[in-house]
Short mmCIF file of all heavy atoms in Angstrom, two decimals:
data_model
loop_
_atom_site.label_atom_id
_atom_site.label_comp_id
_atom_site.label_asym_id
_atom_site.label_seq_id
_atom_site.Cartn_x
_atom_site.Cartn_y
_atom_site.Cartn_z
N GLN I 4 46.72 -54.71 -68.84
CA GLN I 4 47.50 -54.67 -67.61
C GLN I 4 47.79 -53.22 -67.25
O GLN I 4 48.10 -52.40 -68.12
CB GLN I 4 48.82 -55.43 -67.77
CG GLN I 4 48.65 -56.92 -68.04
CD GLN I 4 48.34 -57.22 -69.50
OE1 GLN I 4 48.94 -56.65 -70.41
NE2 GLN I 4 47.39 -58.12 -69.72
N LEU I 5 47.70 -52.90 -65.96
CA LEU I 5 47.93 -51.57 -65.46
C LEU I 5 49.04 -51.61 -64.41
O LEU I 5 49.00 -52.45 -63.51
CB LEU I 5 46.67 -50.98 -64.83
CG LEU I 5 45.42 -50.93 -65.71
CD1 LEU I 5 44.23 -50.43 -64.90
CD2 LEU I 5 45.64 -50.04 -66.92
N VAL I 6 50.00 -50.70 -64.51
CA VAL I 6 51.11 -50.63 -63.57
C VAL I 6 51.25 -49.21 -63.06
O VAL I 6 51.49 -48.29 -63.84
CB VAL I 6 52.43 -51.10 -64.21
CG1 VAL I 6 53.57 -51.00 -63.20
CG2 VAL I 6 52.31 -52.53 -64.72
N GLU I 7 51.10 -49.04 -61.74
CA GLU I 7 51.23 -47.73 -61.11
C GLU I 7 52.67 -47.49 -60.67
O GLU I 7 53.41 -48.43 -60.37
CB GLU I 7 50.32 -47.60 -59.89
CG GLU I 7 48.85 -47.86 -60.16
CD GLU I 7 48.44 -49.25 -59.75
OE1 GLU I 7 49.29 -50.17 -59.77
OE2 GLU I 7 47.25 -49.44 -59.40
N SER I 8 53.04 -46.22 -60.59
CA SER I 8 54.33 -45.83 -60.05
C SER I 8 54.23 -44.41 -59.51
O SER I 8 53.28 -43.69 -59.81
CB SER I 8 55.44 -45.92 -61.10
OG SER I 8 55.19 -45.04 -62.18
N GLY I 9 55.20 -44.01 -58.70
CA GLY I 9 55.28 -42.64 -58.22
C GLY I 9 54.88 -42.43 -56.78
O GLY I 9 55.01 -41.31 -56.27
N GLY I 10 54.41 -43.46 -56.10
CA GLY I 10 54.05 -43.32 -54.71
C GLY I 10 55.27 -43.14 -53.83
O GLY I 10 56.40 -43.37 -54.25
N GLY I 11 55.03 -42.74 -52.59
CA GLY I 11 56.13 -42.55 -51.67
C GLY I 11 55.70 -41.80 -50.43
O GLY I 11 54.51 -41.66 -50.14
N LEU I 12 56.69 -41.32 -49.69
CA LEU I 12 56.48 -40.58 -48.46
C LEU I 12 56.74 -39.10 -48.70
O LEU I 12 57.76 -38.72 -49.28
CB LEU I 12 57.42 -41.10 -47.37
CG LEU I 12 57.44 -40.36 -46.04
CD1 LEU I 12 56.08 -40.48 -45.35
CD2 LEU I 12 58.55 -40.90 -45.15
N VAL I 13 55.81 -38.26 -48.25
CA VAL I 13 55.94 -36.82 -48.45
C VAL I 13 55.35 -36.09 -47.24
O VAL I 13 54.45 -36.61 -46.57
CB VAL I 13 55.22 -36.38 -49.75
CG1 VAL I 13 53.72 -36.59 -49.64
CG2 VAL I 13 55.55 -34.94 -50.11
N GLN I 14 55.87 -34.91 -46.95
CA GLN I 14 55.34 -34.10 -45.86
C GLN I 14 54.04 -33.42 -46.28
O GLN I 14 53.79 -33.18 -47.46
CB GLN I 14 56.34 -33.03 -45.45
CG GLN I 14 57.49 -33.52 -44.61
CD GLN I 14 58.32 -32.37 -44.08
OE1 GLN I 14 58.95 -31.64 -44.84
NE2 GLN I 14 58.32 -32.20 -42.77
N ALA I 15 53.21 -33.12 -45.29
CA ALA I 15 51.99 -32.38 -45.56
C ALA I 15 52.31 -31.07 -46.27
O ALA I 15 53.27 -30.38 -45.92
CB ALA I 15 51.25 -32.10 -44.26
N GLY I 16 51.51 -30.76 -47.29
CA GLY I 16 51.75 -29.59 -48.11
C GLY I 16 52.60 -29.86 -49.33
O GLY I 16 52.69 -29.01 -50.22
N GLY I 17 53.20 -31.03 -49.41
CA GLY I 17 54.05 -31.39 -50.53
C GLY I 17 53.26 -31.95 -51.70
O GLY I 17 52.03 -31.96 -51.69
N SER I 18 54.00 -32.44 -52.70
CA SER I 18 53.40 -32.91 -53.93
C SER I 18 53.98 -34.25 -54.35
O SER I 18 55.13 -34.58 -54.04
CB SER I 18 53.63 -31.91 -55.08
OG SER I 18 53.04 -30.66 -54.80
N LEU I 19 53.17 -35.01 -55.06
CA LEU I 19 53.59 -36.24 -55.70
C LEU I 19 52.87 -36.35 -57.04
O LEU I 19 51.77 -35.84 -57.19
CB LEU I 19 53.25 -37.48 -54.86
CG LEU I 19 54.10 -37.80 -53.64
CD1 LEU I 19 53.47 -38.96 -52.88
CD2 LEU I 19 55.52 -38.14 -54.05
N ARG I 20 53.49 -37.04 -57.99
CA ARG I 20 52.83 -37.35 -59.24
C ARG I 20 52.82 -38.85 -59.46
O ARG I 20 53.88 -39.48 -59.53
CB ARG I 20 53.50 -36.66 -60.44
CG ARG I 20 52.66 -36.80 -61.72
CD ARG I 20 53.24 -36.07 -62.90
NE ARG I 20 54.33 -36.81 -63.53
CZ ARG I 20 54.66 -36.69 -64.81
NH1 ARG I 20 54.01 -35.84 -65.60
NH2 ARG I 20 55.68 -37.40 -65.29
N LEU I 21 51.63 -39.42 -59.55
CA LEU I 21 51.47 -40.83 -59.82
C LEU I 21 51.31 -41.06 -61.32
O LEU I 21 50.73 -40.24 -62.02
CB LEU I 21 50.24 -41.39 -59.10
CG LEU I 21 50.17 -41.17 -57.59
CD1 LEU I 21 48.93 -41.86 -57.03
CD2 LEU I 21 51.43 -41.67 -56.90
N SER I 22 51.82 -42.19 -61.79
CA SER I 22 51.66 -42.58 -63.17
C SER I 22 51.04 -43.96 -63.24
O SER I 22 51.27 -44.80 -62.37
CB SER I 22 53.01 -42.61 -63.90
OG SER I 22 53.62 -41.34 -63.91
N CYS I 23 50.26 -44.20 -64.28
CA CYS I 23 49.66 -45.51 -64.53
C CYS I 23 49.83 -45.82 -66.00
O CYS I 23 49.23 -45.15 -66.85
CB CYS I 23 48.19 -45.54 -64.13
SG CYS I 23 47.34 -47.09 -64.55
N ALA I 24 50.62 -46.84 -66.31
CA ALA I 24 50.87 -47.24 -67.68
C ALA I 24 50.04 -48.47 -68.02
O ALA I 24 50.08 -49.47 -67.30
CB ALA I 24 52.35 -47.53 -67.89
N ALA I 25 49.32 -48.40 -69.13
CA ALA I 25 48.49 -49.51 -69.59
C ALA I 25 49.18 -50.24 -70.73
O ALA I 25 49.84 -49.63 -71.57
CB ALA I 25 47.12 -49.02 -70.05
N SER I 26 49.03 -51.54 -70.76
CA SER I 26 49.57 -52.35 -71.83
C SER I 26 48.58 -53.45 -72.19
O SER I 26 47.60 -53.67 -71.50
CB SER I 26 50.93 -52.96 -71.44
OG SER I 26 50.80 -53.79 -70.31
N GLY I 27 48.85 -54.14 -73.29
CA GLY I 27 47.94 -55.16 -73.78
C GLY I 27 46.96 -54.56 -74.77
O GLY I 27 47.34 -53.79 -75.64
N ARG I 28 45.68 -54.91 -74.63
CA ARG I 28 44.63 -54.45 -75.54
C ARG I 28 44.15 -53.05 -75.13
O ARG I 28 43.00 -52.86 -74.74
CB ARG I 28 43.49 -55.45 -75.57
CG ARG I 28 43.91 -56.84 -76.06
CD ARG I 28 42.78 -57.84 -75.94
NE ARG I 28 41.67 -57.54 -76.83
CZ ARG I 28 41.56 -57.95 -78.09
NH1 ARG I 28 42.53 -58.69 -78.63
NH2 ARG I 28 40.51 -57.63 -78.81
N THR I 29 45.05 -52.09 -75.23
CA THR I 29 44.76 -50.74 -74.75
C THR I 29 43.68 -50.04 -75.56
O THR I 29 43.07 -49.08 -75.07
CB THR I 29 46.03 -49.88 -74.72
OG1 THR I 29 46.61 -49.85 -76.03
CG2 THR I 29 47.04 -50.45 -73.74
N PHE I 30 43.43 -50.50 -76.79
CA PHE I 30 42.39 -49.89 -77.61
C PHE I 30 41.00 -50.12 -77.03
O PHE I 30 40.05 -49.45 -77.44
CB PHE I 30 42.46 -50.42 -79.04
CG PHE I 30 42.44 -51.92 -79.14
CD1 PHE I 30 41.26 -52.62 -79.10
CD2 PHE I 30 43.63 -52.62 -79.28
CE1 PHE I 30 41.24 -54.00 -79.19
CE2 PHE I 30 43.64 -54.00 -79.36
CZ PHE I 30 42.43 -54.69 -79.32
N SER I 31 40.88 -51.05 -76.11
CA SER I 31 39.59 -51.32 -75.48
C SER I 31 39.28 -50.40 -74.31
O SER I 31 38.19 -50.45 -73.76
CB SER I 31 39.52 -52.78 -75.00
OG SER I 31 40.40 -53.00 -73.92
N ILE I 32 40.23 -49.55 -73.92
CA ILE I 32 40.05 -48.66 -72.78
C ILE I 32 39.37 -47.37 -73.22
O ILE I 32 39.82 -46.72 -74.16
CB ILE I 32 41.40 -48.33 -72.13
CG1 ILE I 32 42.04 -49.60 -71.56
CG2 ILE I 32 41.22 -47.28 -71.03
CD1 ILE I 32 43.44 -49.39 -71.04
N TYR I 33 38.31 -47.00 -72.52
CA TYR I 33 37.59 -45.76 -72.82
C TYR I 33 37.66 -44.74 -71.69
O TYR I 33 37.34 -43.57 -71.90
CB TYR I 33 36.15 -46.06 -73.19
CG TYR I 33 36.04 -46.67 -74.56
CD1 TYR I 33 36.13 -48.04 -74.75
CD2 TYR I 33 35.87 -45.86 -75.68
CE1 TYR I 33 36.06 -48.59 -76.01
CE2 TYR I 33 35.81 -46.41 -76.95
CZ TYR I 33 35.90 -47.78 -77.11
OH TYR I 33 35.83 -48.32 -78.37
N ALA I 34 38.06 -45.15 -70.51
CA ALA I 34 38.25 -44.23 -69.40
C ALA I 34 39.27 -44.82 -68.44
O ALA I 34 39.38 -46.04 -68.29
CB ALA I 34 36.93 -43.97 -68.66
N MET I 35 40.04 -43.94 -67.80
CA MET I 35 40.99 -44.36 -66.79
C MET I 35 40.88 -43.42 -65.60
O MET I 35 40.43 -42.28 -65.73
CB MET I 35 42.42 -44.36 -67.33
CG MET I 35 42.67 -45.38 -68.42
SD MET I 35 44.39 -45.40 -69.01
CE MET I 35 45.24 -46.03 -67.56
N GLY I 36 41.31 -43.90 -64.46
CA GLY I 36 41.25 -43.06 -63.27
C GLY I 36 41.87 -43.72 -62.07
O GLY I 36 42.60 -44.71 -62.18
N TRP I 37 41.57 -43.14 -60.90
CA TRP I 37 42.21 -43.54 -59.66
C TRP I 37 41.21 -43.70 -58.54
O TRP I 37 40.26 -42.92 -58.40
CB TRP I 37 43.24 -42.48 -59.23
CG TRP I 37 44.35 -42.30 -60.20
CD1 TRP I 37 44.39 -41.47 -61.27
CD2 TRP I 37 45.61 -42.98 -60.18
NE1 TRP I 37 45.59 -41.58 -61.93
CE2 TRP I 37 46.36 -42.51 -61.27
CE3 TRP I 37 46.18 -43.95 -59.35
CZ2 TRP I 37 47.65 -42.97 -61.54
CZ3 TRP I 37 47.45 -44.40 -59.62
CH2 TRP I 37 48.17 -43.91 -60.71
N PHE I 38 41.42 -44.74 -57.73
CA PHE I 38 40.77 -44.94 -56.45
C PHE I 38 41.86 -44.96 -55.38
O PHE I 38 43.04 -45.10 -55.68
CB PHE I 38 40.00 -46.25 -56.41
CG PHE I 38 38.64 -46.20 -57.06
CD1 PHE I 38 38.51 -46.06 -58.43
CD2 PHE I 38 37.50 -46.29 -56.29
CE1 PHE I 38 37.27 -46.02 -59.02
CE2 PHE I 38 36.24 -46.26 -56.87
CZ PHE I 38 36.13 -46.12 -58.24
N ARG I 39 41.45 -44.82 -54.13
CA ARG I 39 42.39 -44.95 -53.03
C ARG I 39 41.70 -45.63 -51.85
O ARG I 39 40.47 -45.61 -51.74
CB ARG I 39 42.96 -43.60 -52.60
CG ARG I 39 41.95 -42.67 -51.93
CD ARG I 39 42.56 -41.31 -51.66
NE ARG I 39 41.63 -40.41 -51.00
CZ ARG I 39 41.87 -39.12 -50.77
NH1 ARG I 39 43.03 -38.58 -51.16
NH2 ARG I 39 40.96 -38.38 -50.16
N GLN I 40 42.51 -46.22 -50.99
CA GLN I 40 41.99 -46.89 -49.81
C GLN I 40 42.89 -46.57 -48.62
O GLN I 40 44.06 -46.95 -48.60
CB GLN I 40 41.90 -48.40 -50.02
CG GLN I 40 41.20 -49.13 -48.90
CD GLN I 40 40.85 -50.56 -49.27
OE1 GLN I 40 41.47 -51.15 -50.16
NE2 GLN I 40 39.86 -51.12 -48.61
N ALA I 41 42.33 -45.87 -47.65
CA ALA I 41 43.04 -45.55 -46.43
C ALA I 41 42.94 -46.72 -45.46
O ALA I 41 42.01 -47.54 -45.55
CB ALA I 41 42.46 -44.29 -45.80
N PRO I 42 43.86 -46.83 -44.51
CA PRO I 42 43.80 -47.92 -43.54
C PRO I 42 42.47 -47.95 -42.80
O PRO I 42 42.03 -46.93 -42.27
CB PRO I 42 44.96 -47.61 -42.59
CG PRO I 42 45.92 -46.81 -43.42
CD PRO I 42 45.04 -45.98 -44.32
N GLY I 43 41.83 -49.11 -42.79
CA GLY I 43 40.58 -49.28 -42.08
C GLY I 43 39.37 -48.66 -42.74
O GLY I 43 38.29 -48.65 -42.13
N LYS I 44 39.50 -48.17 -43.97
CA LYS I 44 38.39 -47.54 -44.66
C LYS I 44 38.12 -48.22 -46.00
O LYS I 44 38.95 -48.97 -46.51
CB LYS I 44 38.65 -46.05 -44.88
CG LYS I 44 38.94 -45.27 -43.61
CD LYS I 44 38.85 -43.78 -43.82
CE LYS I 44 37.40 -43.36 -44.03
NZ LYS I 44 37.26 -41.88 -44.13
N GLU I 45 36.95 -47.93 -46.57
CA GLU I 45 36.59 -48.49 -47.86
C GLU I 45 37.33 -47.78 -48.99
O GLU I 45 37.72 -46.63 -48.87
CB GLU I 45 35.08 -48.38 -48.08
CG GLU I 45 34.23 -49.17 -47.11
CD GLU I 45 32.75 -49.05 -47.39
OE1 GLU I 45 32.38 -48.35 -48.35
OE2 GLU I 45 31.97 -49.67 -46.67
N ARG I 46 37.49 -48.49 -50.08
CA ARG I 46 38.08 -47.89 -51.26
C ARG I 46 37.15 -46.81 -51.81
O ARG I 46 35.94 -47.00 -51.89
CB ARG I 46 38.34 -48.96 -52.31
CG ARG I 46 39.15 -48.48 -53.51
CD ARG I 46 39.48 -49.62 -54.46
NE ARG I 46 40.28 -50.66 -53.82
CZ ARG I 46 40.82 -51.68 -54.47
NH1 ARG I 46 40.65 -51.81 -55.77
NH2 ARG I 46 41.53 -52.59 -53.81
#
């Protein structure tokens, strides 16, 4: 299971830090990362 946090509203030029916590059979994970999807666009 993966749970993201840290999103929000920020002004251009600002910063955010996203976190993703994994639980369950975490020993089976060999890589982690991020995708994004803008409105009306592909992931």
